[in-house]
Structure formats: C-alpha cells, structure tokens
Amino acid sequence: MGALQLMLPLLVLLAAAAGARPSEVAVGALFTFDSTIGRAARLAIELAVDDVNADRTVLAGTQLKVITQDTNCSGFLGTIEALQLMENNVVAVIGPQSSGIGHVISHVVNELHVPLLSFAATDPTLSASEYPYFIRTTISDYFQMNAAASIVEHYQWKEVTAIFVDDDYGRGGVSALGDALAEKRARISYKAAIPPNSNTDMINDVLFRANMMESRVMVVHVNPDTGMRIFSIANKLQMLASGYVWIVTDWLAAVLDSSASRDLKYMSHIQGLIVLRQHIPESAAKNKFISKWNNVARNRSITSGLNSYGFYAYDSVWAVARGIDQFLNSGQQINFSTDPRLHDSNGSNLQLSTLKIFDGGEQMLQQLLLTNFTGLTGPVQFNSDRDLVRPAYDILNIGGSGSQLIGYWSNYSGLSVTAPEILYQKPPNTSSIVQQLHNVVWPGDSTTTPKGWVFPNNGQPLRVGVPIKASFKELVAGGRGPNNVTGYCIDIFNAAINLLPYPVPCQFVTIGDGTKNPNYDDIINMVAANSLDAAVGDFAIVRNRTKIAEFTQPYIESGLVIVAPVKQATSSAWAFLKPFTLEMWCVTGALFLFVGIVVWILEHRTNEEFRGSPRRQVITIFWFSFSTMFFAHRQNTVSALGRFVLIIWLFVVLIINSSYTASLTSILTVQQLGTGITGIDDLISSALPIGYQAGKFTRNYLIEELNIPESRLVPLNTIQEYADALKRGPKDGGVAAIVDEMPYVDIFLSYHCNFRVVGQEFTKEGWGFAFQRDSPLAADLSTAILQLSETGQLQRIHDEWLTRSSCSSDDSEVGATRLGLRSFWGLFLVCALICLLALLVFFIRVCWQYSKYSNSEAAGEPSAADADAAAAAADAAERQRRPSRLGSFKELIQFVDKKEEEVRRTMKRRSSEKDNQTAGSSDVQSVISA
C-alpha cells in the first residue's frame, strides 16, 4: 500500500507529460519556389514530411507541419516572408537557399531563438560565432574552394581568375578560394565581379577585362539561375577555345541535373569544363527516393529534375523531425512568449507584437546539434564548427551531351579516383603521389593539359629593366634607344624568349647613366613593386633577392673570387738555395750525415767496403751519405738492418729531390704575389683595403657574412679603376685585392695580365633573370634556358661574347713559397726513429755476441790438472784477471771493430779446443785409475 502511494505521483507526472505532447508541430521553410534549387527542394521537403509523418518511430502521435514561404530571390521580400513565417509560432526554419537572405534572417532567428537549418546557403561567412542559431545542413563553400584549389595544384597552375557574383555568396566563396590557393602556393591574379541582376552587356564587359589578363584558369562561382549566360558570352569572346581552363562550382551541376532535356545549344558552350558537385553516396535509400521523386514529379507534370540540393533539403526535414522528437522526449514544452522589446509604434501596421520568442529554442538548438543519423546524403552529423563531418565532391568533366566523372575530392584524402566512402575505411593519405584524376578533355576538344596562362592581351609589352654600367660592356651595353641594348645577357634572354611557344613583346627599360653602376638590389625591388615586370642582366641569384622575386634557371655560374697583384720574381746567382729555408738545409745535411754514420755502423762488421784505415772509413761515410742524394752510391749493403735503413732513406731522398725540383722550378718561372694574400682567410684576417664592384651584392656579402668592416671596402666601377687601385696598392690609396664574381674577373684579366686570381672560389652563385613572384614566365624561361644548354646554343653565345685571349689564372702559378722544416718534419722524424731502432737492434745483437765471445775465451784457456797444484792455482788466478780486462770499454770497442766472420771463427775454434781438452783429461784420469 505504501509503495502504491509512492508510485502514484510519478504516474501522474508521466500522464501529464504524455498529455502535454502536442498533436502538431509547425516548422517553417523559406526558399525561392521558382528556381533551380527551389523546384527540387520544394518537392523533396513535401516527400520528407510525408515520410516523417508515416514513420511511427519519430514524433509518435505528433504530426509535422511545414509552412513554406517564397523568398523570390529578394533579400527584402525574404525578410518580410521570414517575419510572416515567425507569426505562425514555428519551432524551426528550413532554409533559406540564398546566402544573402541567410545573413538577414539569421538576425531574426537569433532574436526569436528559432533554429535556422539551411540546405543551400553555402557562404562560409555564415558562421556559428556570429549567428548562433544558424545550422548549415549542406557543405560549406570553404570545402568547395579547397577542392577547386586542389585541382589547381594538381595541374600545377599558379594563378587563376575568379569570376563571381558580387554578393555575400560570391564574395564569401572567392575569399575562401583565395585562402585555399595561398596554402597551395597559388593565388587569384584577377577578380572579375559580376553585379547581381546584370544584363548581357555588363557580363560581356566583365569577361572582356578578364580575358585581357594572363591567367587562363577561370573559376566561376555564380548563381545557378543566371550563370549559363556567362558561357554563352564567353563563347562569343572565344574564351572557350583551346588553352583555357574553366572550373565551375556546384551551381552548374545543379543546373545540369535539373534539366530534364539537355539543350544542345547551351551544352556546346560548356564543353571541356570541370564541374564540382556535392558527393551523394550510392545507397538503396537514395535510389528509392529518386524513384519516388520522379514518379511524383511525373504525376504533377514537373519538368525540372532532381539535384543534390534536393537530397540536402530532404535530410534537413528529417534532422528537424529527429531534433523535435528528442526535444519532446526530454520533457520539454513548446511555449512562446512575447518579446517586450518588440512593440508597434503609434499608427504602425507591422504588428511586430505578434512575433514571439520560442522559450525552448536553446534546448531545441542543442538537440539539433546532437543530430547523428544516416540520411540520403550520408552521415548527418555536425562537428564543432557546425559543418557536416564528411564533406566530399564529385569532379565532373563536361563533354558531348553529358558529363563524365573523373574523380572525387574529400576533406579526408584530397583528390582521388576512389569514392570517399571507401577511403574513409582506410588511413588518410593526402600525399601528392596518390592525388589522381582521370583524363580530361579540355575546351577546344584538347587532351593536352593547358599551361594555364598566356602573355596578357592588354596591349602592354613586358617591361624589362636592364642595368647600364660604366664597364663590362660585353655583358650588357646600352645603345641609342631603350630597345637597342646588347650584350651576352641580352642575347641569352632573347634566345630564350624566342623558344617560348607564345609571343612575348618586350620593352627594355635602361636603368643607369653608364657612368656609374646602378644598385642591383634597387632594380630587383622595382620588379617586386610592379614598377618593372622583369629584370635582365648580370643579376646574381642570392638569398635576399629570391624572397621578393622569382628567378629563372641560372644561365652561367658566378662565384666570388679574389684578384690580387703579382710581380715577376727576379733571379740571382743564389736562386738554387731558395727552395729550402736555412733551417731546412741544416736539418737535411745533418740527416744525410746521420744516416751515413748509421749505415756505416750497421755494415762495418760485415762489409769489407766499410772497413779499412780510419781515414778511408771517414771518407766512406761522407761519400755514401751524399751520393744517395743522386742514387749514385757504389757501396753495397749486406746486412738486413743496413738494407732496411737504406730503403727508408732512399724514399726520403726521393721526396726531398722532388720537392726541391718543383719549388725551384716555381721560383724561377712563376709570378709572386705582391701583397702576400693567398686566399679569403688571409684577406679577412688582414686590415688591408678591399675593392668591390659598385652596385653588386658583393658589398653586403662581405659585411654581413664575412664581418669585414665597411671602412675597408672601396667601391669600383670600371675595369680601369680595378687596375689602377690594384697597381697603387694599400700604401698609395689603392686596394690589396678585389673581390668580384668570376665572369667579371675573367673579363678583367683578359685586359690586364699582371693580376691573378688567388685562392679558390669561396661562394657558388649563378646569374638569372628576375620576374615578379609566382610569374609563370620564370618557369617557362627556365625550361627555355635548359633547352639552350642542351642544344649547345648557350655555349655558343658565351664564346661569342666572353671568349678572348686572356692571361692564365691558374692558382698554381701564383705565389710560389720556400719549403721549410714544417713540411718535412714528420718524414724526417720517421726516418730518424727507424735509424735509432736499427741501431738499438744492432747493439743488442753485438752485446749478446760479446757475452758469448767472453765466455768462450775464458773456457778455452789450457788447463794443467795433471801438473802440480801451484801451477793450477796460478792458472786459475790468470783466468780471473782476464774477464775484468775484456769487460773494459776499450776491449768492447775492439770487439765491435772486429769482423763478425773472424769472431765467429774464433768462437768456433775455442769451442773445438774445449772439447779436445775435455777428452784428453778423461784419458789421463783413466790411466791413473788403472
């Protein structure tokens, strides 16, 4: 009984809640009835309402009622219709289809707390942060423009022309396109804005100006009901011929899908176009709906066909129905209250007081944002930005009387030829290798991918800046008129321009008066600032310039080198002593004597040629030592140690002879540096003034990269200034050396032979032609320069201008230096150590022989065992005195002086005598015993 009392209040509440569920819920729908999108959406919404009301699992016991209002493609009328719709106390609004109307109505629904679900307003600026009650149930143009940018990147185009309707929808889409292209290192080069409701003349004027630009990639983003006129006019302007690219957003796909019969006349105007269309995955529900839609349309004599926006309108109704169902199931009530801020002024007939706030609007909004079901368009679910979670597009190629699917784009994996729903089952892969599309037939029935640009047809030639300098006329020289420039760089440029598959009229703009070099960085800045279209001349491709301009492939190498003055060395009677320093001569002579003494010691005991009187042996040591210098020694070495030392010494002598010969030749024949600078390190460490070519990047490089004080740098303009500054030298107001690029140095040395390049090239640059950033001409000219190189024409132009009799600039002929002990101390040390090692082995061996010799001499003295005891004692005393005498240093020296063969015979004889003596003593003892 107690339990029943407890349950009774709960049952009452449930009954009350059940009773409070309304029998009907009103939902509004705003769109233009008589439009490409509206005709498909109107029937789709009706069919969706029927399906919702027939489904017992959704809104059970409650009927969904949709109140539709026609916005007539007008922002003003759309606002009025929206206000009238709100008088009916709707809990949500489906639509509008126009982004412009969506901006206006979003303010209304924000105030009245009514969620707005648009199936066709694709403007990315309709954001949740500004319009919290706006929910987009179709794909935002943010993703569509990323798809267009991916196509541009796929075909390696860098610039596009955006043709768009000048309203919220068009401007928002083009803004998103610009951002997407920037991420792909491309850009919108020209924006062709078409005012809304433009007539034919206005559209013709906009397209004509767009056709004057260099880009041939057109991205068209306009309204479907007026967009077809663009292609009719473009066809008359011959903008649908070969070489053009047209990428059209999804409005054209909606037009084509809605056309029951394809008009061959307007189809001929859109051949070769690439068209985007929202991707609707294949499913049984989709096919069933298409069949049902076609049957109803046929029964009602509706001639317009179904497009992708009809699918999104259908799913929008189901999203609203499921949201309302969840709202009611959570126990919420549908109530409206008066907004005290809305009241009619005296005499006003607007009846603003009839507009009421939906009290459960916030809860309804949250239920809609939690929507998660599979509709006709695929998963209907929103991310944190309130966008559908799986945006994807079909990519179509118009041809014949229809279109062909050439690929897909999805935010998950980019371009592909595989349907996105299959790729979602795999790990994401957006690398350039897997970005694929099928073959495209382009406008003009061409299968060759257009390059995407031509030289602008605006009557203006290419403004080419050319530096006119005071010297080095072989490279660039100015004539009497701006177009009469000549030189190596100009010929390279003209030859490359002639290889382009399209004409490029050029107007050379000379910069500089010919008396002073212009600043090359300033010329590059003029290109970046659009004061010039290009810069042609001896422009080095360096880091800071590539940040603001686009350079072609280098057409010549141009590393920095050092030029210094040289002088002819004067010969003298003692020139043969100059190859070696005094220290080197002394050490070399000492080593000759040392090796001679070592070999004499090693050979003296075994080799007759190293024996004799003291005088003869001293002569032998000197003769042998210095005759090895010419490999003319006549004494033969017989000991192993002597031969080993001699082999090492002869190798050392070979090195010394070769070095002496090379150094002497260099001293007698080559020129010597006048300043002592042999390379970039010497130049940096010195405090001497340095010359550089005025206007070039060399100055900045020396200051910023090598940290050379600016006070040491001297600007020079002409070849004669180069020569004068080097001749005067640092003491007379000149320079110690000049740092410049190799081509200039080659030209300079062809006029002045008393200067030389010292050291090695310490930078690696090249010369190229500069263009504005992302200019397609840079890439095409790079290809032309490579073609010139492959055909040999680049070298022929070089030989024509820059090959003339010149002085040799080989570094090996400059600055011959004397050889010191530093260059050979390692070799000498090894030789000396080997000699000492051989002596050590020799003396160990001698000491061992001496020990054996001493013992054999003591044992070999005659014994008198059979004599009297006194004689024996005397003999023993004599033996004790002899080892002491033999152990003296004098006797050791005498032992060493003996021939080794004689020592061996003596030791052998003494050993034999000892054996005989032992045998005789044994016989005597036997007789005595007997």
Side-chain angles (χ1 to χ4, degrees), residues 246-291:
W246 291 81
I247 302 174
V248 188
T249 54
D250 55 20
W251 67 267
L252 181 56
V255 172
L256 296 178
D257 291 339
S258 300
S259 301
S261 59
R262 303 287 171 85
D263 188 343
L264 295 180
K265 181 178 180 180
Y266 77 72
M267 285 298 295
S268 64
H269 298 162
I270 59 174
Q271 296 295 302
L273 273 60
I274 294 179
V275 181
L276 294 171
R277 179 179 64 190
Q278 297 98 329
H279 175 69
I280 309 297
E282 294 297 328
S283 65
K286 173 186 174 182
N287 295 331
K288 181 179 179 181
F289 173 74
I290 293 174
S291 177

Coordinates of all heavy atoms in Angstrom, one line a residue, residues 246-291:
W246 N 38.3 26.0 -67.3 CA 37.1 26.6 -66.6 C 36.8 25.6 -65.5 O 36.5 24.4 -65.8 CB 35.9 26.7 -67.5 CG 36.1 27.8 -68.5 CD1 36.8 27.8 -69.7 CD2 35.6 29.2 -68.4 NE1 36.7 29.0 -70.3 CE2 36.0 29.9 -69.6 CE3 34.8 29.8 -67.5 CZ2 35.6 31.2 -69.8 CZ3 34.4 31.1 -67.7 CH2 34.8 31.8 -68.9
I247 N 36.9 26.0 -64.3 CA 36.5 25.3 -63.1 C 35.2 25.9 -62.5 O 35.3 27.1 -62.1 CB 37.6 25.2 -62.0 CG1 38.9 24.6 -62.6 CG2 37.2 24.4 -60.8 CD1 40.1 24.7 -61.7
V248 N 34.2 25.2 -62.5 CA 32.9 25.7 -62.1 C 32.4 25.1 -60.8 O 32.5 23.8 -60.7 CB 31.8 25.5 -63.2 CG1 30.5 26.3 -62.9 CG2 32.4 26.0 -64.6
T249 N 31.9 25.9 -59.9 CA 31.4 25.3 -58.6 C 30.1 24.6 -58.8 O 29.6 24.5 -60.0 CB 31.2 26.5 -57.6 OG1 30.4 27.5 -58.1 CG2 32.6 27.1 -57.3
D250 N 29.5 24.1 -57.7 CA 28.4 23.2 -57.8 C 27.1 23.7 -58.4 O 26.2 23.0 -58.7 CB 28.1 22.6 -56.5 CG 27.8 23.6 -55.4 OD1 27.5 24.8 -55.8 OD2 27.9 23.3 -54.2
W251 N 27.0 25.0 -58.7 CA 25.8 25.6 -59.2 C 25.5 25.0 -60.6 O 24.3 24.8 -61.0 CB 25.8 27.1 -59.3 CG 26.9 27.7 -60.2 CD1 28.2 28.0 -59.9 CD2 26.7 27.9 -61.6 NE1 28.8 28.4 -61.1 CE2 27.9 28.4 -62.1 CE3 25.6 27.8 -62.5 CZ2 28.1 28.8 -63.4 CZ3 25.8 28.1 -63.8 CH2 27.0 28.6 -64.3
L252 N 26.6 24.8 -61.4 CA 26.3 24.3 -62.8 C 25.9 22.8 -62.7 O 25.0 22.4 -63.5 CB 27.6 24.4 -63.6 CG 27.6 23.9 -65.0 CD1 26.4 24.7 -65.8 CD2 28.9 24.1 -65.8
A253 N 26.4 22.1 -61.8 CA 25.9 20.7 -61.7 C 24.4 20.7 -61.3 O 23.7 19.8 -61.8 CB 26.8 19.9 -60.6
A254 N 24.0 21.6 -60.5 CA 22.6 21.7 -60.1 C 21.8 22.0 -61.3 O 20.6 21.5 -61.5 CB 22.4 22.7 -59.0
V255 N 22.3 22.9 -62.2 CA 21.5 23.3 -63.4 C 21.4 22.1 -64.3 O 20.4 21.8 -64.9 CB 22.2 24.5 -64.1 CG1 21.6 24.7 -65.5 CG2 22.1 25.7 -63.2
L256 N 22.5 21.4 -64.5 CA 22.5 20.2 -65.5 C 21.7 19.1 -64.9 O 20.9 18.5 -65.7 CB 24.0 19.7 -65.7 CG 24.9 20.7 -66.3 CD1 26.3 20.1 -66.4 CD2 24.4 21.1 -67.7
D257 N 21.7 18.8 -63.6 CA 20.9 17.8 -63.1 C 19.4 18.1 -63.1 O 18.6 17.2 -63.2 CB 21.3 17.5 -61.6 CG 22.7 16.8 -61.6 OD1 23.2 16.3 -62.6 OD2 23.3 16.9 -60.5
S258 N 19.1 19.4 -63.0 CA 17.7 19.8 -63.0 C 17.1 19.9 -64.4 O 15.9 20.0 -64.5 CB 17.6 21.2 -62.3 OG 18.0 21.1 -61.0
S259 N 17.9 19.9 -65.4 CA 17.4 20.0 -66.8 C 17.0 18.6 -67.3 O 17.7 17.6 -67.4 CB 18.5 20.5 -67.7 OG 19.0 21.7 -67.3
A260 N 15.7 18.5 -67.5 CA 15.1 17.3 -68.0 C 15.7 16.8 -69.3 O 16.0 15.7 -69.6 CB 13.6 17.4 -68.0
S261 N 15.8 17.8 -70.2 CA 16.4 17.5 -71.5 C 17.5 18.5 -71.8 O 17.4 19.7 -71.6 CB 15.3 17.7 -72.6 OG 14.8 19.0 -72.6
R262 N 18.7 18.0 -72.1 CA 19.9 18.8 -72.3 C 19.8 19.6 -73.6 O 19.7 19.0 -74.7 CB 21.1 18.0 -72.3 CG 21.3 17.1 -71.0 CD 21.7 18.0 -69.8 NE 21.6 17.3 -68.6 CZ 22.6 16.6 -68.1 NH1 23.7 16.4 -68.8 NH2 22.4 16.0 -66.9
D263 N 19.7 20.9 -73.5 CA 19.7 21.8 -74.7 C 21.1 21.7 -75.4 O 22.1 22.1 -74.8 CB 19.4 23.2 -74.3 CG 19.1 24.1 -75.5 OD1 19.5 23.7 -76.6 OD2 18.5 25.2 -75.3
L264 N 21.1 21.2 -76.6 CA 22.4 21.0 -77.3 C 23.1 22.4 -77.5 O 24.3 22.5 -77.6 CB 22.2 20.3 -78.6 CG 21.7 18.8 -78.5 CD1 21.5 18.2 -79.9 CD2 22.7 18.0 -77.7
K265 N 22.3 23.4 -77.6 CA 22.8 24.7 -77.9 C 23.7 25.2 -76.7 O 24.8 25.6 -76.9 CB 21.7 25.7 -78.2 CG 22.3 27.1 -78.5 CD 21.1 28.1 -78.9 CE 21.7 29.5 -79.2 NZ 20.6 30.4 -79.5
Y266 N 23.1 25.2 -75.5 CA 23.9 25.6 -74.4 C 24.9 24.6 -74.0 O 26.0 24.9 -73.4 CB 23.0 26.1 -73.2 CG 22.4 25.0 -72.4 CD1 23.2 24.3 -71.5 CD2 21.0 24.8 -72.4 CE1 22.6 23.3 -70.7 CE2 20.4 23.9 -71.6 CZ 21.2 23.2 -70.7 OH 20.7 22.2 -69.9
M267 N 24.7 23.3 -74.3 CA 25.7 22.3 -74.0 C 27.0 22.5 -74.8 O 28.1 22.2 -74.4 CB 25.2 20.9 -74.3 CG 24.2 20.4 -73.2 SD 25.0 20.3 -71.6 CE 26.2 19.0 -71.8
S268 N 26.9 23.1 -76.0 CA 28.0 23.3 -76.8 C 28.9 24.4 -76.3 O 30.1 24.5 -76.6 CB 27.6 23.7 -78.3 OG 26.9 24.9 -78.3
H269 N 28.3 25.2 -75.4 CA 29.1 26.3 -74.8 C 29.9 25.9 -73.6 O 30.6 26.7 -73.0 CB 28.1 27.5 -74.4 CG 27.4 28.1 -75.6 ND1 26.2 28.8 -75.5 CD2 27.6 28.0 -76.9 CE1 25.8 29.2 -76.6 NE2 26.7 28.7 -77.6
I270 N 29.6 24.7 -73.1 CA 30.3 24.3 -71.8 C 31.1 23.1 -72.0 O 31.5 22.4 -71.0 CB 29.3 24.1 -70.7 CG1 28.2 23.0 -71.1 CG2 28.5 25.4 -70.4 CD1 27.3 22.7 -70.0
Q271 N 31.5 22.8 -73.2 CA 32.4 21.6 -73.5 C 33.8 21.8 -72.8 O 34.4 22.8 -73.0 CB 32.5 21.3 -75.0 CG 31.2 21.0 -75.7 CD 30.6 19.7 -75.2 OE1 31.3 18.6 -75.3 NE2 29.4 19.8 -74.7
G272 N 34.2 20.8 -72.1 CA 35.6 20.8 -71.6 C 35.7 21.4 -70.2 O 36.8 21.5 -69.6
L273 N 34.5 21.8 -69.6 CA 34.5 22.4 -68.3 C 34.7 21.3 -67.2 O 34.3 20.2 -67.4 CB 33.2 23.2 -68.0 CG 33.2 24.6 -68.5 CD1 33.4 24.7 -70.0 CD2 31.8 25.2 -68.0
I274 N 35.4 21.7 -66.1 CA 35.4 20.9 -64.9 C 34.4 21.4 -63.9 O 34.4 22.6 -63.6 CB 36.9 20.9 -64.3 CG1 37.9 20.3 -65.3 CG2 36.9 20.2 -63.0 CD1 39.3 20.2 -64.7
V275 N 33.6 20.6 -63.4 CA 32.4 21.0 -62.6 C 32.5 20.2 -61.3 O 32.7 19.0 -61.3 CB 31.1 20.8 -63.3 CG1 29.9 21.2 -62.4 CG2 31.1 21.5 -64.6
L276 N 32.2 20.9 -60.2 CA 32.1 20.3 -58.9 C 30.7 20.0 -58.5 O 29.8 20.8 -58.9 CB 32.8 21.2 -57.8 CG 34.3 21.4 -57.9 CD1 34.7 22.5 -56.9 CD2 35.0 20.1 -57.7
R277 N 30.4 18.9 -57.9 CA 29.1 18.6 -57.4 C 29.2 17.8 -56.1 O 30.0 17.0 -55.9 CB 28.4 17.7 -58.4 CG 27.0 17.2 -58.0 CD 26.3 16.4 -59.1 NE 27.0 15.1 -59.3 CZ 26.8 14.2 -60.2 NH1 25.9 14.5 -61.2 NH2 27.5 13.1 -60.3
Q278 N 28.3 18.2 -55.1 CA 28.3 17.5 -53.9 C 28.2 16.0 -54.1 O 27.3 15.6 -54.8 CB 27.1 18.0 -52.9 CG 27.2 19.5 -52.6 CD 26.3 20.3 -53.5 OE1 26.1 20.0 -54.6 NE2 25.8 21.4 -52.9
H279 N 29.0 15.3 -53.3 CA 29.0 13.9 -53.5 C 27.9 13.2 -52.6 O 27.9 13.4 -51.4 CB 30.4 13.3 -53.1 CG 30.4 11.8 -53.1 ND1 30.4 11.0 -54.2 CD2 30.5 10.9 -52.0 CE1 30.4 9.8 -53.9 NE2 30.5 9.6 -52.6
I280 N 27.0 12.5 -53.3 CA 25.9 11.8 -52.6 C 26.3 10.3 -52.8 O 26.2 9.8 -53.9 CB 24.6 12.1 -53.2 CG1 24.3 13.6 -53.3 CG2 23.5 11.4 -52.4 CD1 24.3 14.3 -52.0
P281 N 26.6 9.6 -51.7 CA 27.0 8.2 -51.8 C 25.8 7.3 -52.3 O 24.7 7.6 -52.0 CB 27.4 7.8 -50.4 CG 27.1 8.9 -49.5 CD 26.7 10.1 -50.3
E282 N 26.2 6.3 -53.0 CA 25.2 5.4 -53.5 C 24.6 4.6 -52.3 O 25.3 4.1 -51.5 CB 25.8 4.5 -54.6 CG 26.2 5.2 -55.8 CD 25.0 5.8 -56.6 OE1 23.9 5.3 -56.5 OE2 25.2 6.9 -57.2
S283 N 23.3 4.4 -52.3 CA 22.6 3.6 -51.3 C 21.2 3.2 -51.8 O 20.7 3.8 -52.7 CB 22.5 4.4 -50.0 OG 21.6 5.5 -50.2
A284 N 20.6 2.2 -51.1 CA 19.3 1.8 -51.5 C 18.3 2.9 -51.2 O 17.3 3.1 -52.0 CB 18.9 0.5 -50.8
A285 N 18.4 3.6 -50.1 CA 17.5 4.7 -49.7 C 17.6 5.8 -50.8 O 16.5 6.4 -51.1 CB 17.9 5.2 -48.3
K286 N 18.8 6.1 -51.3 CA 18.9 7.1 -52.3 C 18.1 6.7 -53.6 O 17.4 7.5 -54.1 CB 20.4 7.4 -52.6 CG 20.6 8.3 -53.8 CD 22.1 8.4 -54.1 CE 22.3 9.2 -55.4 NZ 23.8 9.3 -55.7
N287 N 18.4 5.5 -54.0 CA 17.7 5.0 -55.2 C 16.2 5.0 -55.1 O 15.4 5.3 -56.0 CB 18.2 3.7 -55.6 CG 19.7 3.7 -56.0 OD1 20.2 4.7 -56.5 ND2 20.4 2.6 -55.8
K288 N 15.7 4.6 -53.9 CA 14.3 4.6 -53.6 C 13.7 6.0 -53.7 O 12.6 6.2 -54.2 CB 14.0 3.9 -52.3 CG 12.6 3.8 -51.9 CD 12.4 3.1 -50.5 CE 10.9 3.1 -50.1 NZ 10.8 2.4 -48.8
F289 N 14.4 6.9 -53.1 CA 13.9 8.3 -53.1 C 13.9 8.9 -54.5 O 12.9 9.6 -54.9 CB 14.8 9.2 -52.2 CG 14.5 10.6 -52.2 CD1 13.3 11.1 -51.6 CD2 15.3 11.5 -52.9 CE1 13.0 12.5 -51.6 CE2 15.0 12.9 -53.0 CZ 13.9 13.4 -52.3
I290 N 14.9 8.6 -55.3 CA 14.9 9.1 -56.7 C 13.7 8.6 -57.4 O 13.1 9.3 -58.2 CB 16.3 8.7 -57.3 CG1 17.4 9.5 -56.7 CG2 16.2 9.1 -58.8 CD1 18.8 9.0 -57.2
S291 N 13.5 7.3 -57.3 CA 12.3 6.7 -58.0 C 11.0 7.4 -57.5 O 10.2 7.7 -58.4 CB 12.3 5.2 -57.7 OG 11.2 4.6 -58.3

